[in-house]
């Protein structure tokens, strides 16, 4: 078991977080992780209709921006939201993003 590289809490940059939050797919992924539990990547992405490689890209952007943490166990990857780190660094930003995710139009 290992954790994939991610920024330390103090190294999370506001611009990177805002970039990661600027995509509807990534907002939907955050909403799926809002329960603060650890999820298998496939379970978190359930119901979001994008190609597997595109979904991997979105998870990478979220991880590299500091929004999520990713744990790899064999061939399986598990993701969870870094709520405490984000709230400590940028209070209110995550709550605003999750509120915005609630108002996204349904996928076609």
């Amino acid at each position: 078991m290992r954790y994939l590289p991610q920024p330390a809490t103090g190294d999370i940059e506001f611009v990177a977080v805002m970039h990661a939050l600027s995509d509807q797919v990534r907002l939907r992924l955050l909403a799926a992780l809002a329960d603060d539990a650890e999820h298998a990547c496939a379970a978190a992405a359930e119901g979001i209709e994008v190609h597997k490689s595109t979904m991997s890209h979105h998870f990478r952007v979220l991880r590299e921006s500091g929004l999520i943490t990713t744990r790899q166990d064999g061939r399986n990857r598990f993701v969870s939201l870094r709520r405490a780190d984000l709230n400590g660094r940028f209070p209110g930003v995550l709550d605003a993003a999750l509120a915005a995710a609630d108002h996204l139009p349904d996928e076609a």
Side-chain angles (χ1 to χ4, degrees), residues 86-98:
L86 289 161
N87 285 339
R89 188 88 168 111
F90 307 112
V93 168
L94 185 58
D95 291 334
L98 292 171

Side-chain angles (χ1 to χ4, degrees), residues 38-53:
E38 184 177 67
H39 297 267
C41 286
E46 190 172 316
I48 301 173
E49 301 297 323
V50 297
H51 194 272
K52 186 177 177 180
S53 63

Side-chain angles (χ1 to χ4, degrees), residues 12-21 65 90:
I12 298 173
E13 297 179 0
F14 185 74
V15 172
V17 170
M18 290 294 101
H19 167 73
L21 295 174
S65 70
F90 307 112

Side-chain angles (χ1 to χ4, degrees), residues 9 36 81-90 94:
T9 303
D36 295 321
L81 194 57
R82 294 178 65 184
R83 186 182 298 271
D85 293 341
L86 289 161
N87 285 339
R89 188 88 168 111
F90 307 112
L94 185 58

